[in-house]
Amino acid sequence: MNPYGYYQFPQYPYDYSSYATPEQINPYVPTESYDPDRQPQLERRVSQLERENNRQQREIEQLERRVTRLERRLQRVNQRLRAVERRFNFPFTPFDGEY
């Protein structure tokens, strides 16, 4: 008889180098059925790439808004410059990259 009257399970030798499925280790514990098409490491990588893609999309949109603001600002500066040139009768000399 064991101490406290509890039943002690027999000790089976276990080979740690061999592969055993969860059902072989404990057949009474319900486990998820193995789906060979579902690969967790690939799902994790896909979700990581989706998050990175979303972050890059937000960054692209932010940069596009910034470029648009700067284009409008440059256009206003050029309009003011032309008004000053007309007022003082300066010839307008465009440079590379001028709108």
Side-chain angles (χ1 to χ4, degrees):
M1 190 74 178
N2 294 313
Y4 309 111
Y6 291 120
Y7 175 73
Q8 188 175 13
F9 290 96
Q11 297 295 323
Y12 296 107
Y14 187 77
D15 182 12
Y16 290 98
S17 64
S18 68
Y19 175 77
T21 63
E23 292 81 16
Q24 290 172 335
I25 295 171
N26 190 349
Y28 302 108
V29 175
T31 58
E32 283 188 27
S33 60
Y34 176 71
D35 183 6
D37 295 331
R38 182 179 174 273
Q39 299 177 356
Q41 68 274 15
L42 290 180
E43 290 179 1
R44 282 193 301 270
R45 182 67 176 141
V46 166
S47 64
Q48 177 188 6
L49 290 173
E50 286 174 345
R51 285 192 305 271
E52 188 175 340
N53 184 35
N54 291 337
R55 182 187 57 78
Q56 288 176 348
Q57 283 295 110
R58 286 192 303 271
E59 189 175 343
I60 287 171
E61 290 169 1
Q62 181 182 8
L63 290 172
E64 285 174 345
R65 286 192 301 268
R66 187 173 178 192
V67 166
T68 303
R69 277 196 314 267
L70 290 173
E71 284 176 345
R72 286 195 303 257
R73 188 173 175 188
L74 180 61
Q75 196 172 14
R76 286 193 303 268
V77 167
N78 282 335
Q79 288 171 352
R80 281 187 241 137
L81 178 62
R82 287 193 182 93
V84 168
E85 288 171 341
R86 282 193 300 272
R87 182 174 178 192
F88 293 110
N89 202 15
F90 291 154
F92 178 68
T93 54
F95 55 93
D96 289 341
E98 201 278 328
Y99 284 92

